[in-house]
Amino acid sequence: TVLHDKVKGWHRHKKLTSNFAAVFGKIKLVVYDTRSDSKTKGKIEQFFLSQENYKLITVPPLVWSGIKGISKETSIVAICTNLPYNESEIERKSPFDKTIEYDW
């Protein structure tokens, strides 16, 4: 779940692929690609997910992501992965870390 105006992120997985969908409410999903061999290296993308704008967004390994609750009510986010959750393969940064130039 994500509360209104709450930001969760930044984080990236070393091996795991995540698939995000908003089941209830509205969220902003932001991704930042730092992979050196990627054609989207250095690019920041944002997606607004809700029941009215239903999408499934796939975030591959080594891409930073974060989410923010947009709707007034608590949002519910489904995050489906290709591997079992493993805390040791996650990197985390503050949502306000200056190495990622994004204003939540």
Side-chain angles (χ1 to χ4, degrees), residues 29-80:
L29 169 66
V30 182
V31 296
Y32 175 54
D33 190 355
T34 58
R35 299 172 296 170
S36 60
D37 61 345
S38 173
K39 63 183 174 185
T40 58
K41 182 179 189 279
K43 186 174 181 182
I44 292 177
E45 295 181 87
Q46 61 181 14
F47 306 92
F48 291 90
L49 309 176
S50 67
Q51 295 100 319
E52 294 79 29
N53 188 33
Y54 185 78
K55 295 180 182 184
L56 180 68
I57 304 297
T58 300
V59 179
L62 300 175
V63 173
W64 291 97
S65 67
I67 56 177
K68 180 178 182 176
I70 301 297
S71 58
K72 296 289 184 199
E73 65 274 346
T74 299
S75 297
I76 300 172
V77 182
I79 305 171
C80 301

